[in-house]
Amino acid sequence: MSYSLNIRGQLFSLDTPQVMGIINATPDSFYTASRQQSEAALCDRLCQIMAEGGTLVDVGACSTRPGAPLPSEQEEIARLRKALTTLRDAIDRLECAPPVLSVDTFRPDVARMAVEEFGADIINDVSEGSEAMFRMVARLSRPYILTSTQPDLRSTLLTFAQKVQQLRDFGQKDIILDPGFGFGKTLKQNYALLNELDRLLVMELPLLVGISRKSMIYKKLNCTPEEALNGTTALNTVALMKGASILRVHDVRQACECCQLIESLK
């Protein structure tokens, strides 16, 4: 299917799969190497994502690692303001097309701050959404990533159908679906859902897949997140073959190579 997003008044095409690089402005991400907090580290990570072919960056200041302490809204805002100030300054100095800036948050007021103060392009919500968030993203007129925390395909489809209709009722236009690998699912359920990923295309909305170095890989392979790149590449390839439009990853170059090779098959 042909998909595009309205980004800063321009159409951002998803006709070919795109890669979203992760920037974790947190001290406690499950993957230690992905934690960027200093100004230099943030700028280096941004440059790395773009140099390796990423067209989107996803900035988060609240770890979704199981068991991680949840920062207050004020702490999340403070972390994000610091990171986004640095990243926006770096983006403004670029001599090439800027990346699409996504902010990873489940809090409506954090989303509002990121858009109104820093011009964030996309809101990435891993919480399965709330009426308050739906109203906010519709008011902000930004593409919204809706995540499922359901355990299987049937409940995921039913929840997506209900939530998408709610979003449409509030006037939301651009919606991206994330099946939520690692959220509310057992190891077996993660793989069952990935095996049936293409059946989510019935929603006629682009799919984002975020499986990078997650426990569904390193637990299955009896290794650590640091050793899970090869497994990540294998499953990213499966996701692309089943219709994913966006890969959310730590390792951008390897994901871009997957996209390039899968496109060659077409």
Side-chain angles (χ1 to χ4, degrees):
M1 295 181 183
S2 178
Y3 302 116
S4 62
L5 305 174
N6 184 342
I7 303 293
R8 299 185 290 272
Q10 302 291 323
L11 289 182
F12 180 81
S13 176
L14 297 176
D15 287 350
T16 59
Q18 302 296 308
V19 173
M20 171 185 281
I22 297 169
I23 298 182
N24 282 320
T26 63
D28 55 354
S29 171
F30 78 92
Y31 177 40
T32 306
S34 73
R35 301 171 186 172
Q36 289 93 21
Q37 291 186 278
S38 71
E39 290 186 10
L42 288 165
C43 289
D44 287 348
R45 176 59 177 161
L46 174 67
C47 291
Q48 179 189 27
I49 290 171
M50 297 186 67
E52 293 183 357
T55 54
L56 307 96
V57 296
D58 190 45
V59 186
C62 181
S63 175
T64 56
R65 173 177 56 86
L70 191 66
S72 68
E73 184 171 299
Q74 292 72 24
E75 176 64 20
E76 184 183 2
I77 286 175
R79 290 178 184 175
L80 261 183
R81 276 201 176 113
K82 179 181 177 182
L84 291 174
T85 296
T86 298
L87 293 170
R88 179 52 64 192
D89 288 345
I91 289 171
D92 288 344
R93 294 193 298 269
L94 292 174
E95 297 181 357
C96 58
V100 174
L101 179 61
S102 168
V103 170
D104 183 350
T105 186
F106 62 90
R107 289 167 165 150
D109 285 338
V110 177
R112 178 183 55 79
M113 179 278 295
V115 171
E116 293 181 351
E117 295 184 22
F118 297 95
D121 300 307
I122 294 176
I123 301 303
N124 181 13
D125 181 1
V126 300
S127 73
E128 208 166 72
S130 64
E131 181 175 325
M133 179 61 95
F134 293 171
R135 289 183 182 275
M136 180 62 73
V137 294
R139 181 172 74 81
L140 295 170
S141 296
R142 292 298 193 272
Y144 176 67
I145 300 171
L146 172 65
T147 304
S148 170
T149 61
Q150 299 301 311
D152 54 42
L153 177 69
R154 181 178 181 277
S155 56
T156 297
L157 278 169
L158 289 172
T159 300
F160 274 156
Q162 177 191 16
K163 300 284 186 177
V164 167
Q165 186 58 57
Q166 283 183 273
L167 284 159
R168 296 296 192 210
D169 289 344
F170 288 127
Q172 179 63 19
K173 295 180 174 60
D174 288 332
I175 302 169
I176 302 160
L177 302 180
D178 179 350
F181 293 105
F183 294 96
K185 301 165 184 64
T186 65
L187 193 66
K188 184 177 181 179
Q189 288 168 338
N190 278 309
Y191 281 94
L193 185 57
L194 179 60
N195 190 45
E196 298 181 299
L197 184 70
D198 53 333
R199 296 181 65 181
L200 294 177
L201 296 174
V202 71
M203 297 293 300
E204 298 186 355
L205 292 170
L207 300 180
L208 178 148
V209 169
I211 52 180
S212 182
R213 297 180 181 266
K214 284 188 174 179
S215 61
M216 66 179 285
I217 299 170
Y218 66 78
K219 286 184 177 178
K220 192 73 172 177
L221 298 177
N222 194 28
C223 64
T224 66
E226 287 72 22
E227 299 169 314
L229 173 56
N230 190 53
T232 297
T233 300
L235 295 192
N236 277 338
T237 302
V238 173
L240 290 170
M241 295 183 72
K242 289 184 173 289
S245 293
I246 301 173
L247 297 178
R248 182 182 181 274
V249 301
H250 299 96
D251 308 283
V252 173
R253 178 178 62 81
Q254 291 84 350
C256 287
E257 289 175 350
C258 285
C259 292
Q260 184 179 352
L261 294 173
I262 293 300
E263 282 303 294
S264 296
L265 292 178
K266 298 178 181 179

